[in-house]
Amino acid sequence: MLIQHHFPQDDPSIQAFILAALTAGGGITGYARTGSIPSIAAGVTVGALYGLGGLRVRNRQPYGLELALAASFILAGSSFPRAVKTMKPLPIGLSVVAAFGLYRFGMLWRAQV
C-alpha cells in the first residue's frame, strides 16, 4: 500500500510523470541538437517507462513502482559512468535525475514489500 501524501509534489505518480517529461524531452532535444539517434531512443524509452510506471501507480495497478525504479536503474547505468568520465553538465544532470528516482522509488518499493 502506498503512503498517503499531503502535497501533490509528494505524489509518486506526479514525480514519475515529471521524470518521464525530463528524460523524453532530453532525448528529443539531444536528437534535435546533434541528430543523435541513441539520444532519442534512450530518452523516449526511459521516459515511457517512467510514464507507464506513473500511470500504474496512479491507477493503483501492480508494478508501477517497479517500472519507475527500472527506468531509474537504466538511466543510472548509462549516465553515472559518463558523468564520472566526462564531468560534463548533461551526464551529471542525468545522474542526479537517476539518483532521485533510485532513492524515491526504491524507498517506496521497500516500504511496500
Side-chain angles (χ1 to χ4, degrees):
M1 179 145 160
L2 292 176
I3 301 168
Q4 294 292 333
H5 303 283
H6 300 291
F7 302 103
Q9 66 269 23
D10 290 338
D11 181 356
S13 64
I14 291 175
Q15 293 168 345
F17 295 144
I18 290 169
L19 295 181
L22 286 172
T23 54
I28 292 166
T29 302
Y31 176 75
R33 289 181 57 206
T34 65
S36 171
I37 299 293
S39 288
I40 195 168
V44 170
T45 301
V46 170
L49 286 172
Y50 276 127
L52 182 58
L55 282 173
R56 294 188 72 82
V57 167
R58 173 157 292 167
N59 295 327
R60 299 186 188 276
Q61 296 174 327
Y63 304 113
L65 290 175
E66 291 84 351
L67 282 168
L69 190 55
S72 298
F73 272 113
I74 292 167
L75 184 59
S78 67
S79 64
F80 286 179
R82 284 189 300 146
V84 170
K85 182 179 177 183
T86 66
M87 297 302 285
K88 290 185 177 179
L90 182 62
I92 291 171
L94 289 171
S95 296
V96 169
V97 168
F100 171 80
L102 287 170
Y103 176 76
R104 180 67 172 138
F105 300 119
M107 293 300 285
L108 289 169
W109 178 79
R110 184 176 170 205
Q112 78 177 10
V113 288

